[in-house]
Amino acid sequence: MKIDNKQSVQRSLLIFILILSGSFAMLLIAFIFQVHLGKVMVTSLSLIFLSLWKISSLKMIRIDFSGEIVSIKYSHPFISGPKVSLELPLAKIESCNVDKGFLNYFLCVNVKGKKIKSFYYHLGTLSSEEFRLLSVFITNINRLSKDIDSSFL
């Protein structure tokens, strides 16, 4: 089973690139026609800074579950190839959940060891379909993880 947020990240990237190009166009027009240069410059530069910051913070995440191994991979939209962030057997997972922040979602994975370690992954904004798929995935991971624990007892 694979879950990724590639489509929503690409959609967000397109929106921020449009905002970025619109801000540059607004700045260029203001310089050419010398119209309210102060207000336009502050607005345009703020939008440019915000767009560049959001583009730099975009991350595509892919979660793969192939029977016994759970793999979480990250990548930036402009960098090819995902970077493996976490890859471990299902038996090592204590629990998994999705936390909702102010505007974003976060994936929390608790891993068993000598002591429990928590890994947090910024998922960004998720569509309702992506959130539903992720919730089903996490429910299955938690259920299978508990089943494996009870089979060892």
Side-chain angles (χ1 to χ4, degrees):
M1 178 179 206
K2 292 181 185 178
I3 295 177
D4 66 2
N5 65 345
K6 186 176 182 177
Q7 287 181 345
S8 65
V9 168
Q10 287 176 338
R11 200 173 328 126
S12 297
L13 184 63
L14 178 65
I15 289 169
F16 289 123
I17 288 175
L18 288 173
I19 291 172
L20 198 60
S21 56
S23 298
F24 277 121
M26 194 166 60
L27 250 174
L28 184 64
I29 290 170
F31 276 122
I32 291 172
F33 295 113
Q34 298 293 321
V35 181
H36 302 289
L37 201 55
K39 292 179 183 177
V40 171
M41 186 180 255
V42 168
T43 304
S44 295
L45 290 177
S46 298
L47 285 173
I48 288 169
F49 176 73
L50 179 67
S51 296
L52 288 175
W53 175 64
K54 288 302 281 182
I55 287 172
S56 69
S57 67
L58 284 175
K59 287 190 173 92
M60 291 189 292
I61 188 167
R62 190 169 97 196
I63 304 169
D64 295 329
F65 175 60
S66 57
E68 295 295 319
I69 302 292
V70 175
S71 175
I72 300 174
K73 300 175 183 176
Y74 259 116
S75 67
H76 190 272
F78 294 133
I79 298 172
S80 63
K83 175 184 130 187
V84 174
S85 178
L86 182 68
E87 191 169 61
L88 55 110
L90 182 62
K92 288 266 198 186
I93 295 179
E94 174 72 25
S95 65
C96 235
N97 60 358
V98 176
D99 299 327
K100 182 168 176 36
F102 180 64
L103 294 174
N104 300 317
Y105 289 92
F106 297 92
L107 175 65
C108 177
V109 180
N110 297 316
V111 178
K112 294 179 220 169
K114 290 182 180 178
K115 57 183 190 174
I116 294 176
K117 294 181 184 175
S118 296
F119 296 91
Y120 292 92
Y121 297 96
H122 178 258
L123 300 177
T125 56
L126 296 175
S127 67
S128 57
E129 180 63 21
E130 288 171 333
F131 180 72
R132 187 189 65 76
L133 284 172
L134 189 60
S135 297
V136 168
F137 175 78
I138 287 172
T139 303
N140 289 339
I141 293 286
N142 286 333
R143 184 178 46 80
L144 289 171
S145 174
K146 301 290 186 235
D147 288 348
I148 288 173
D149 281 347
S150 63
S151 69
F152 283 125
L153 295 177

